[in-house]
Amino acid sequence: MIIVKIGFIGTGVMGTGVINNLLRQGNDVTVYNRTREHAASVIANGAKWAASPAAATVGNEIVFTMVGFPADVEQVYYGSDGILSVATADQVLVDMTTSSPRLAKKLAQAAAQVVDTPVSGGDVGARKGTLTVMLGGRQAVVDKIMPVLKQFSSSQHYFGPAGSGQHAKMANQIMIAGTMTGMSEMLVYAKRAGLDLEEVVQTVGSGAGANWSLSNYAPRILRDDYTPGFFAKHFLKDLRIALDEAERESLHLPATAEAKRLYELLVERDGLGDDGTQALVKLWWH
């Protein structure tokens, strides 16, 4: 068993699942979060508390960050009590936030060993340790942390230099945009047609329409459960990053742009950014 001294910044829905898996493997984990009460469950499971990102960095071999927005990444790295104020060349800094590829490249220029490792799999994957990890950075650094990544993920994919992991995650989010809008409109249509929605979900899920969003989120919708496996506001952030990167490459992605427009309605018009992404269906029913 590989046991490592780890700093982990960000104890949200996803971070909590990852941290608990690291603790179960016997690692020495120190955590920081802007709101300490949100770290209470991992502290109860054996994590130590740090009062700042810098304090969560000092003395640890690997420092993970998993926060909400690119601005949050910049704050925990570049702030006066941030990671880079104390990081040493022998530490590996691992950003699991879904963030900007450009920011990932900037971080890689600021420290000796940086890897961008956004993940897919939602709260279920984080809890079960079955996340898919998309990796960007120097191959030697990726190889160094791979045994630890395998403690909370079942699939790891290396794509190239800094920022490549974030680009892969954007491709992933573009795909999910289509499955989330498709699932939502499918349910709205089936409901209006008077069909048994549980039967519809089972039927579509056993045929060519099967997909992760349908399997994981449609049952929650049918239970009227909109708790976040992934926040709607964070998915909107991801779609904006994806479309910004597409624009830089002179790509027009109309379906993704429409998904962004719909999530803007959900988050900014209806104020439901703290609901899970499955709340998109609320644009049609409540």
Side-chain angles (χ1 to χ4, degrees):
M1 179 184 293
I2 304 285
I3 298 176
V4 180
K5 291 191 69 176
I6 294 170
F8 204 107
I9 297 165
T11 60
V13 173
M14 298 288 289
T16 293
V18 173
I19 292 164
N20 282 331
N21 277 295
L22 292 170
L23 289 169
R24 277 193 284 271
Q25 294 295 321
N27 296 291
D28 182 345
V29 183
T30 300
V31 301
Y32 168 77
N33 195 68
R34 282 182 299 190
T35 309
R36 179 170 177 159
E37 51 263 38
H38 290 167
S41 64
V42 294
I43 292 171
N45 288 338
K48 302 171 185 174
W49 171 253
S52 69
T57 301
V58 173
N60 289 313
E61 299 164 71
I62 305 174
V63 180
F64 288 95
T65 50
M66 198 174 199
V67 293
F69 294 86
D72 300 321
V73 176
E74 295 212 60
Q75 179 60 38
V76 299
Y77 274 91
Y78 291 98
S80 58
D81 59 354
I83 294 166
L84 294 177
S85 69
V86 295
T88 59
D90 61 338
Q91 292 177 299
V92 181
L93 310 181
V94 182
D95 186 28
M96 296 180 68
T97 313
T98 298
S99 183
S100 160
R102 283 171 292 140
L103 179 53
K105 293 176 184 178
K106 179 181 174 182
L107 292 175
Q109 293 170 351
Q113 301 186 86
V114 179
V115 184
D116 48 294
T117 63
V119 299
S120 182
D123 60 329
V124 175
R127 188 171 63 251
K128 292 184 176 180
T130 58
L131 292 170
T132 294
V133 183
M134 291 153 266
L135 293 147
R138 288 193 289 118
Q139 179 77 66
V141 182
V142 169
D143 292 344
K144 184 185 297 187
I145 64 170
M146 188 61 71
V148 175
L149 298 179
K150 289 181 176 179
Q151 293 180 4
F152 58 79
S153 65
S154 58
S155 183
Q156 308 83 28
H157 303 271
Y158 175 67
F159 287 95
S164 300
Q166 296 294 356
H167 278 303
K169 182 59 184 288
M170 290 304 106
N172 183 83
Q173 300 306 74
I174 289 166
M175 181 74 252
I176 290 176
T179 60
M180 290 302 294
T181 55
M183 177 197 65
S184 299
E185 292 189 356
M186 177 209 73
L187 288 172
V188 170
Y189 179 89
K191 183 178 183 181
R192 181 63 59 88
L195 303 180
D196 182 316
L197 295 185
E198 290 190 3
E199 191 68 22
V200 168
V201 169
Q202 291 180 17
T203 301
V204 175
S206 64
N211 63 81
W212 196 95
S213 297
L214 176 65
S215 299
N216 287 272
Y217 286 134
R220 298 190 192 192
I221 292 171
L222 298 188
R223 296 194 303 269
D224 202 32
D225 176 6
Y226 297 100
T227 55
F230 192 74
F231 286 107
K233 63 185 180 184
H234 290 164
F235 191 54
L236 175 58
K237 172 261 299 183
D238 296 352
L239 295 178
R240 285 172 168 163
I241 293 172
L243 288 167
D244 181 58
E245 292 296 326
E247 184 177 356
R248 288 175 176 275
E249 298 297 330
S250 300
L251 289 173
H252 178 49
L253 305 178
T256 306
E258 177 62 9
K260 177 183 77 78
R261 186 188 72 82
L262 292 172
Y263 273 98
E264 284 174 340
L265 292 176
L266 183 72
V267 173
E268 297 175 350
R269 184 195 69 182
D270 296 347
L272 297 175
D274 287 331
D275 276 6
T277 51
Q278 70 271 28
L280 187 65
V281 77
K282 290 184 178 182
L283 293 180
W284 295 274
W285 84 50
H286 295 274

